[in-house]
Amino acid sequence: MSISETAKRNRDELFLDQKSTLKVTDPELMEVFDNFAFDEVISYGNIDKKTRMMVILSSLIASQTLSEYKVMLNGALNVGVTPIEVKEIVYQSIPYVGFAKTVDFIHATNEILESRGIELPLEGQSTTSPETRFEKGLEVQKEIFGDIIDNMYEAAPENQIHIQKHLSANCFGDYYTRKGLDVKTRELLTFSIILTLGGCETQLKGHIMGNLNVGNEKETLLSTVTQLLPYIGYPRTLNAITCLNELIPE
């Protein structure tokens, strides 16, 4: 087996002929992986290369695969993902995987950006204040999920209503309202993060519907799952497809 011309071209576009040590130590494995990830998988779907790289980065954060994240981050920057977009991808992951699992990725991102001569901090992207974050977050929640948000508030027991308020003010008010990425892209990243985490099928189904509501149709979601397959494996891929087919039958 050899690496196909398509796989080589797509890989070189990302990594600018960077030499992989695994091609020396594990050549057969890298032939299989490169042909699959950079030829067969890339050929499927309707998402462009920038979006593909963004969902892969968000998935790698959820997988806690820092070494591969660094490699793919350089590739993403090489094909036009901007420093602000990169930072927003990392920030968007925080309410879903937690700050503790994100902090190493923040530091790695900063190191790579600075190595490229990019001055930090980047321009601020926040659009809310402590006084407006709840109201603005609730507004975004309802834009994505509709009347279900009111139902969630009404159904929440008194000793749990604070969690609903935290979702509105923090998850949505602090993060979804930021500039740098639009809501449609943020919701696709969230879908990528949750399907990669695994064991969150209830939340995954909620965000499948959220994606539909903001304009990410089933083809886009299937394309995203397919692009993540080489990095997350078949079980989580098939679980995500099961959820998709349950909510959006063929």
Side-chain angles (χ1 to χ4, degrees), residues 70-87:
K70 292 178 181 178
V71 172
M72 298 304 284
L73 173 54
N74 276 301
L77 292 166
N78 289 340
V79 296
V81 179
T82 69
I84 285 178
E85 288 171 333
V86 167
K87 276 298 191 82

Side-chain angles (χ1 to χ4, degrees), residues 97-113:
V97 305
F99 181 79
K101 289 186 175 181
T102 311
V103 66
D104 287 344
F105 293 86
I106 299 172
H107 288 306
T109 300
N110 290 341
E111 290 169 5
I112 289 173
L113 292 179

Side-chain angles (χ1 to χ4, degrees), residues 10 12-13 33 37 46 51 68 95-96 98 103 116 125 130 132 141 147 160 165 168 177 191-192 197 201 203 221 225:
N10 287 328
D12 287 349
E13 181 182 23
F33 180 80
N46 67 346
T51 304
E68 186 67 7
Y96 296 100
V103 66
R116 288 173 171 247
Q125 301 297 309
T132 64
Q141 267 188 300
D147 293 340
Q160 297 167 34
K165 292 179 178 178
S168 297
T177 60
F191 171 74
S192 304
L197 287 173
E201 280 68 32
Q203 290 76 22
L221 299 180
V225 174

Side-chain angles (χ1 to χ4, degrees), residues 58 87-97 125-129 132-146 149 164-195 197 203-216 221:
S58 67
K87 276 298 191 82
E88 292 305 314
I89 291 166
V90 183
Y91 293 178
Q92 182 69 20
S93 71
I94 292 172
Y96 296 100
V97 305
Q125 301 297 309
S126 178
T127 66
T128 63
S129 68
T132 64
R133 58 197 284 268
F134 175 80
E135 176 187 353
K136 296 296 185 182
L138 185 60
E139 183 180 327
V140 174
Q141 267 188 300
K142 291 184 177 182
E143 175 187 342
I144 298 171
F145 300 108
I149 301 304
Q164 297 303 322
K165 292 179 178 178
H166 289 333
L167 272 169
S168 297
N170 177 240
C171 183
F172 290 90
D174 289 337
Y175 296 100
Y176 269 81
T177 60
R178 292 175 61 82
K179 298 180 292 183
L181 296 172
D182 60 24
V183 170
K184 185 177 180 180
T185 302
R186 289 183 184 277
E187 190 59 13
L188 189 63
L189 295 178
T190 298
F191 171 74
S192 304
I193 292 165
I194 293 175
L195 75 88
L197 287 173
Q203 290 76 22
L204 183 61
K205 290 177 183 179
H207 282 279
I208 288 171
M209 299 311 296
N211 270 276
L212 291 177
N213 291 339
V214 298
N216 291 320
L221 299 180

